[in-house]
Amino acid sequence: MIEAQRVKVTGVVQGVGFRPFIYRLAHTYQLTGWVLNAIDGVTIHCEGSAEHLDAFVLAIANEAPPAALVQHITIEPCALQHFTSFEIRHSDKEDARETTLVSPDLATCDDCTRELFDPMNRRYRYPFINCTNCGPRYTIIEKLPYDRPNTSMKVFPLCDACEYEYENPLDRRFHAQPNACFECGPHISWYEVPRVTSASSSAHEPTTSASVSWSWGTTREESDAILARAVQLLAAGGIVAVKGLGGFHLAVDALNARALATLRARKHRKGKAFAVMMPSLESVQRVCDVSAEEAKVLLSPARPIVLLKKKPHVQFAQGLADALPELGVMLPQTPLHHLLLHDFCAVSGRDMLVMTSGNVHNNPLVITDEEALRELGVIADAFVSNNRDIRVRIDDSVVRVLSFTHVTPSECAPTVTASAASTGSAASIADEGEEAASLPNAEEETASRASTAPVSEPATANATAPASVSAKPEPAIANATAPAPVPEPEPAQSAYSPAQTTTAVQFIRRARGYAPLPLSLKHEHHANETLLALGAEQKNTITLVSGTRAFVSQHIGDVENAATYDSWLAASSRYEQLFSMHPTAFACDKHPEYLPSKWARDEHRASQLPLVEVQHHHAHIASVLGEHNITHAVCGIAYDGTGYGTDGRIWGGEILVATQQAFERFANFAYVPLPGGAKAIREPLRCAYGVLWAFDLLEHPAAKRIVQAMGAQSRICAEMIEKDINCPYTSSVGRLFDAAAAITGVCCHPSYEGEPAILFDAARGTLEPDFDKRYRMEVVKNTASAQATAQDTSVVVIDAAPAFRALLDDMEAGVELSVIATRFHTALLEVSVLIARMVANVYQLSTVALSGGVFMNRFLVEYLVEYLNNAGLTVALNANLPPNDGCISFGQAVVALRKQKW
């Protein structure tokens, strides 16, 4: 008996070869009907036997193309129309409230790479070869649905050969929207800047498009001539700006120290490490240690930069990634990159090119020729551009693979499933509708803050057994008119095994290859409502939430100047336009001076739409809870550099008892002054002076030498502190690392944000944790005023004075820097575990959430997870977002949705 069904598939199902996949399946199961792209996914009408229809739907779920992500399959019976064949129809133009997921850009697939270097193929050495399994997606789309007329490829009419492929359902390029060849597609272009001297930091004057005559590679011979000249210039130590998927790269020979020095001088990038591109996994393995998981990430369609440990015997050029144990490496992501690396290796015998973001300091990535000539014309010796427009600027993603020993997989793996909520009363910290947390024995705890007696370590940590990692959820198949949610698998309990090791991918920057895929939220609000969360000021992202989908933007950058602010506004506007979502509520950081927060407050006043302001560190912890759907109270450890506190001070060393809705401040590091405010971050010796003053260590012999070396600056710092002039106080762990780095001489004049902490971590070398009792960080009960609240005044304070005294003692005694750095790091590990166990014991909580920029420190996060697990605690980390401020907008959205009153 013949039946008819309407099948709706949602997820990443456009631009990934999904319709030809459906077409082939329909032929396999002898079905008739049609398939089309709709605004809300892919819709299928299919007719056939019940047995074949069932097999067809199961095959959709189990055999989808590699780049596809099937999230929901909805089936409903419909009337027979007695089709005689199966066809692929043009896209549905009707509006829908649901939003199709847009595929990220995909690196060149193996099939296209083989064709790229096959002399017999008509696309031999074509710099834009692609198919339905690879190529640009997000960076060329203008609006949904994803069809060629809605992309920047609309200006390139297909030639007969490409059109035949495009229209043939059995071809790999069927409806590959960027499909093209030398005859009909985009081409590379070349401009060489007139040079005064190749090595001078002021070699070029700014260039404008009006004064430029580009050479075009419209044929294979012309294209190869451009590549040959680019490679010749690179081999000679030149700098070439190369237009990629989401913007320009600046390329230079990574093994040429002089070329690296020139690039640093022209780009005004003194110390920050460069990332490199290498042609193959084998070439990477010669210079870096590459685990199986790291190889998998390197070779993934996202092609991120992966931070890899350098091999100890390999000599890298000076100026590449000096003094750091890791090197950022990526494999070619486009055909053009494949050709450049291949030809550069052939000409120079070297296989490593720096590929750094094409922008000037603190400005957004450039994406147009006009921008490139204006901003990069003083840096690059030449430009390799093209005439395929980029519709959205997007940086390379940066990730690292963490390795955890002696932990169960669920503690750290991206698919972590948290254990059930504790039975203790702390699980009710934030009942629906409450503004503030409600902890057990709150009155007694507030009263106890008047004491300053040391707090002893709890005897036990009452915790549940951690859950083991779960399998990847299968797409939901629902015989209903409404989509069914993806089911969460039940966590399987696993006993602790001392020999067990697992890995997890940690994002440092989430951008190309991952954005704009959404994160899933279990707390759905009204379908007609859209929340826009604006993020922090540094490492900004925005998040748009509709239903259960949270669309977290690509990394935008530090919204601190006009250019980046404009880029931030453009990113917000693009998300609203692309996904047809217009905000009905806002969420922002509580900081009074953050530009995104000011914008949100202005919009709130003008539109009268609801606005939820979220404390920075609560947003950090909430981002972890939201990613893993943890709805009970947790111990949240948030360590970073700067976040506006509810007491008006600068926070950054916070241990919270938190839920998605609310938090209480259980512990924080003792406040220290920052003479000069933000200037102390740029000049960490000021930070060091503030720490030494706060901990009464200025008279220590080792400290005296530092103060003397500061000269007049020390007297200025003393006056600022004493007279409270531009001298805010902070509890930031990041600032403690800055102070330690400055005191030890590791970094007194940073050239980029975070450099002191990064170099202080690198100074450890390969030493294991060193538990020296002198480096203790003491825990004392806090004092509270009559006006104190549980959100601004902690129960206990962490005093780092003994650790800094021990650091100075070791300096005076001539102890090696690597030992000092290791002992300081270990002290932070030790006190963090102590506080987490205290929270677990007092509130009967079993889960610890870690977030904040400090947890980009591999040593800290890997060992802290291990030690917390050994204490019987379940640990949750950011999985699909970075722990730095790139997660803040998502965390703001999580909190706002729980607090929603609209």
Side-chain angles (χ1 to χ4, degrees):
M1 180 178 175
I2 301 300
E3 299 178 1
Q5 290 182 345
R6 182 67 55 88
V7 180
K8 181 177 175 181
V9 186
T10 60
V12 181
V13 291
Q14 292 192 20
V16 292
F18 202 81
R19 285 182 297 173
F21 160 70
I22 294 297
Y23 179 90
R24 292 190 293 270
L25 276 186
H27 278 263
T28 299
Y29 293 106
Q30 302 171 29
L31 304 180
T32 60
W34 48 262
V35 58
L36 60 76
N37 277 346
I39 292 179
D40 55 345
V42 166
T43 302
I44 308 161
H45 178 98
C46 48
E47 301 180 357
S49 69
E51 180 183 0
H52 284 172
L53 288 171
D54 289 345
F56 172 73
V57 172
L58 288 173
I60 293 174
N62 298 327
E63 302 173 19
L69 176 62
V70 176
Q71 290 194 328
H72 303 99
I73 302 174
T74 304
I75 308 164
E76 54 181 297
C78 61
L80 274 170
Q81 297 184 34
H82 302 289
F83 289 102
T84 58
S85 63
F86 195 90
E87 64 181 7
I88 296 175
R89 290 186 171 180
H90 292 295
S91 297
D92 182 9
K93 306 298 183 185
E94 295 180 4
D95 287 337
R97 287 187 300 178
E98 295 294 324
T99 301
T100 299
L101 303 190
V102 177
S103 168
D105 300 301
L106 304 172
T108 310
C109 68
D110 291 343
D111 288 333
C112 284
T113 303
R114 280 191 292 270
E115 292 174 351
L116 181 67
F117 292 105
D118 179 5
M120 303 304 295
N121 191 280
R122 73 184 187 91
R123 291 187 178 86
Y124 174 55
R125 293 183 62 85
Y126 179 55
F128 302 93
I129 188 172
N130 67 86
C131 69
T132 53
N133 297 319
C134 67
R137 299 290 191 275
Y138 178 49
T139 53
I140 64 170
I141 190 170
E142 296 173 346
K143 62 182 180 179
L144 291 172
Y146 177 65
D147 285 327
R148 194 179 182 99
N150 295 335
T151 74
S152 57
M153 288 297 296
K154 63 187 176 185
V155 298
F156 300 103
L158 292 165
C159 66
D160 290 344
C162 287
E163 187 169 18
Y164 176 80
E165 296 168 331
Y166 184 86
E167 299 292 347
N168 181 2
L170 299 179
D171 194 280
R172 198 175 86 249
R173 293 185 171 89
F174 174 73
H175 279 214
Q177 307 306 335
N179 188 32
C181 67
F182 272 113
E183 183 176 341
C184 65
H187 302 103
I188 60 173
S189 56
W190 172 260
Y191 173 70
E192 193 163 341
V193 181
R195 289 196 282 174
V196 179
T197 124
S198 61
S200 171
S201 63
S202 57
H204 312 310
E205 294 298 324
T207 308
T208 62
S209 58
S211 61
V212 167
S213 176
W214 293 87
S215 300
W216 288 91
T218 56
T219 66
R220 182 179 300 121
E221 293 74 20
E222 292 171 342
S223 181
D224 281 351
I226 289 174
L227 291 170
R229 178 57 187 146
V231 165
Q232 182 185 33
L233 197 57
L234 289 167
I239 301 168
V240 178
V242 182
K243 186 177 179 182
L245 284 170
F248 278 80
H249 284 115
L250 288 167
V252 72
D253 182 356
L255 300 179
N256 186 328
R258 180 176 295 180
L260 293 171
T262 301
L263 177 58
R264 288 197 178 279
R266 293 183 187 174
K267 201 173 189 284
H268 303 291
R269 180 167 166 159
K270 183 179 178 182
K272 195 173 185 179
F274 286 128
V276 301
M277 183 179 285
M278 302 186 73
S280 65
L281 177 61
E282 292 73 24
S283 62
V284 178
Q285 289 170 328
R286 288 191 292 99
V287 297
C288 295
D289 293 324
V290 184
S291 68
E293 184 62 28
E294 288 166 335
K296 181 179 177 181
V297 178
L298 277 168
L299 292 167
S300 70
R303 287 292 198 278
I305 297 170
V306 183
L307 298 180
L308 302 172
K309 293 179 181 177
K310 298 175 182 174
K311 286 191 172 180
H313 65 276
V314 176
Q315 294 294 318
F316 294 91
Q318 183 178 356
L320 181 61
D322 300 339
L324 300 180
E326 294 179 322
L327 179 67
V329 185
M330 60 180 159
L331 296 177
Q333 59 200 239
T334 71
L336 176 59
H337 291 122
H338 276 285
L339 291 168
L340 272 177
L341 264 294
H342 174 273
D343 295 359
F344 179 73
C345 293
V347 169
S348 69
R350 299 185 290 277
D351 59 2
M352 187 188 298
L353 287 174
V354 163
M355 285 284 176
T356 191
S357 298
N359 64 332
V360 296
H361 185 61
N362 287 337
N363 274 9
L365 187 69
V366 302
I367 60 174
T368 68
D369 288 351
E370 181 67 32
E371 289 176 338
L373 292 169
R374 182 177 65 248
E375 298 194 23
L376 306 182
V378 295
I379 302 173
D381 296 307
F383 294 81
V384 178
S385 187
N386 63 69
N387 55 346
R388 185 179 68 196
D389 289 344
I390 297 171
R391 292 300 184 227
V392 59
R393 67 186 84 237
I394 187 165
D395 265 302
D396 297 312
S397 292
V398 183
V399 305
R400 145 192 300 137
V401 176
L402 300 172
S403 178
F404 306 96
T405 306
H406 299 171
V407 290
T408 54
S410 70
E411 305 312 313
C412 320
T415 50
V416 61
T417 302
S419 57
S422 304
T423 57
S425 57
S428 62
I429 176 176
D431 295 331
E432 198 65 33
E434 291 183 352
E435 286 297 328
S438 175
L439 291 174
N441 303 318
E443 292 182 2
E444 289 84 349
E445 287 165 17
T446 302
S448 73
R449 295 172 190 180
S451 170
T452 57
V455 177
S456 59
E457 181 176 353
T460 60
N462 192 342
T464 60
S468 66
V469 67
S470 58
K472 180 181 178 181
E474 295 296 328
I477 302 174
N479 285 290
T481 56
V486 177
E488 286 292 335
E490 291 296 322
Q493 297 298 316
S494 173
Y496 169 71
S497 170
Q500 197 166 24
T501 300
T502 190
T503 60
V505 175
Q506 180 190 60
F507 280 89
I508 307 299
R509 183 170 71 201
R510 180 181 181 268
R512 179 187 52 76
Y514 299 98
L517 291 179
L519 277 65
S520 177
L521 285 170
K522 301 304 179 186
H523 184 70
E524 182 173 3
H525 61 300
H526 196 279
N528 290 326
E529 304 292 339
T530 297
L531 173 69
L532 174 60
L534 287 312
E537 192 163 76
Q538 290 189 321
K539 298 176 178 62
N540 180 270
T541 61
I542 60 168
T543 296
L544 266 175
V545 180
S546 179
T548 59
R549 290 174 176 171
F551 293 88
V552 184
S553 75
Q554 69 275 14
H555 165 87
I556 297 171
D558 298 346
V559 189
E560 297 176 330
N561 60 39
T564 313
Y565 183 68
D566 289 344
S567 176
W568 176 81
L569 289 173
S572 176
S573 176
R574 175 175 172 77
Y575 259 55
E576 292 177 32
Q577 175 187 347
L578 183 60
F579 298 115
S580 300
M581 295 190 293
H582 304 289
T584 57
F586 301 100
C588 71
D589 195 280
K590 279 184 175 291
H591 199 294
E593 296 301 323
Y594 278 179
L595 289 178
S597 297
K598 287 183 173 182
W599 182 91
R601 294 181 191 114
D602 288 344
E603 287 294 308
H604 164 64
R605 284 190 291 267
S607 66
Q608 295 301 303
L609 292 175
L611 171 65
V612 178
E613 298 195 23
V614 182
Q615 198 281 322
H616 187 88
H617 300 93
H618 185 207
H620 266 301
I621 301 304
S623 72
V624 178
L625 304 187
E627 283 203 70
H628 300 301
N629 191 32
I630 299 172
T631 56
H632 56 82
V634 303
C635 171
I637 303 180
Y639 293 162
D640 63 2
T642 299
Y644 187 75
T646 55
D647 59 358
R649 289 183 167 182
I650 301 171
W651 290 9
E654 313 305 315
I655 295 87
L656 311 177
V657 180
T659 64
Q660 291 186 16
Q661 182 180 356
F663 76 94
E664 290 189 3
R665 197 182 191 195
F666 181 81
N668 63 272
F669 279 77
Y671 284 115
V672 297
L674 284 178
K679 194 170 185 179
I681 301 173
R682 298 189 296 271
E683 300 175 12
L685 279 171
R686 288 173 173 259
C687 198
Y689 188 95
V691 166
L692 295 173
W693 178 91
F695 296 152
D696 198 20
L697 294 171
L698 287 171
E699 296 303 315
H700 191 288
K704 280 185 175 180
R705 289 194 294 273
I706 296 168
V707 173
Q708 290 171 359
M710 291 178 67
Q713 192 180 46
S714 68
R715 294 189 293 275
I716 294 171
C717 289
E719 188 173 358
M720 283 181 157
I721 295 171
E722 291 166 8
K723 296 182 179 180
D724 194 20
I725 301 172
N726 190 22
C727 190
Y729 278 70
T730 182
S731 61
S732 167
V733 170
R735 300 290 80 84
L736 294 181
F737 273 110
D738 286 352
I743 290 169
T744 54
V746 169
C747 183
C748 297
H749 305 285
S751 60
Y752 60 92
E753 187 260 335
E755 184 177 17
I758 290 170
L759 293 181
F760 191 61
D761 174 44
R764 291 184 305 96
T766 58
L767 295 183
E768 299 293 314
D770 185 349
F771 292 90
D772 188 312
K773 292 183 179 180
R774 297 175 303 118
Y775 277 75
R776 69 189 182 280
M777 294 185 178
E778 292 183 340
V779 180
V780 297
K781 288 183 179 179
N782 198 7
T783 58
S785 66
Q787 295 76 33
T789 70
Q791 285 72 52
D792 60 34
T793 305
S794 60
V795 178
V796 295
V797 171
I798 303 166
D799 182 5
F804 275 92
R805 180 178 293 279
L807 181 150
L808 293 168
D809 289 344
D810 280 354
M811 287 177 60
E812 192 70 7
V815 176
E816 288 186 10
L817 176 60
S818 60
V819 175
I820 294 174
T822 301
R823 288 173 177 171
F824 189 88
H825 278 77
T826 307
L828 181 59
L829 287 174
E830 191 170 25
V831 76
S832 300
V833 175
L834 169 61
I835 297 293
R837 293 183 64 192
M838 289 174 63
V839 172
N841 191 52
V842 172
Y843 301 114
Q844 300 296 293
L845 300 180
S846 61
T847 304
V848 181
L850 309 179
S851 189
V854 169
F855 290 115
M856 292 190 295
N857 182 309
R858 180 194 288 272
F859 177 90
L860 286 178
V861 71
E862 288 182 344
Y863 279 108
L864 186 54
V865 167
E866 176 182 336
Y867 296 157
L868 289 171
N869 185 239
N870 288 348
L873 298 171
T874 296
V875 181
L877 306 172
N878 288 109
N880 297 298
L881 297 171
N884 59 37
D885 283 3
C887 73
I888 290 294
S889 66
F890 178 73
Q892 291 168 349
V894 170
V895 175
L897 290 176
R898 287 291 180 181
K899 288 186 172 183
Q900 64 175 305
K901 295 181 179 179
W902 57 89

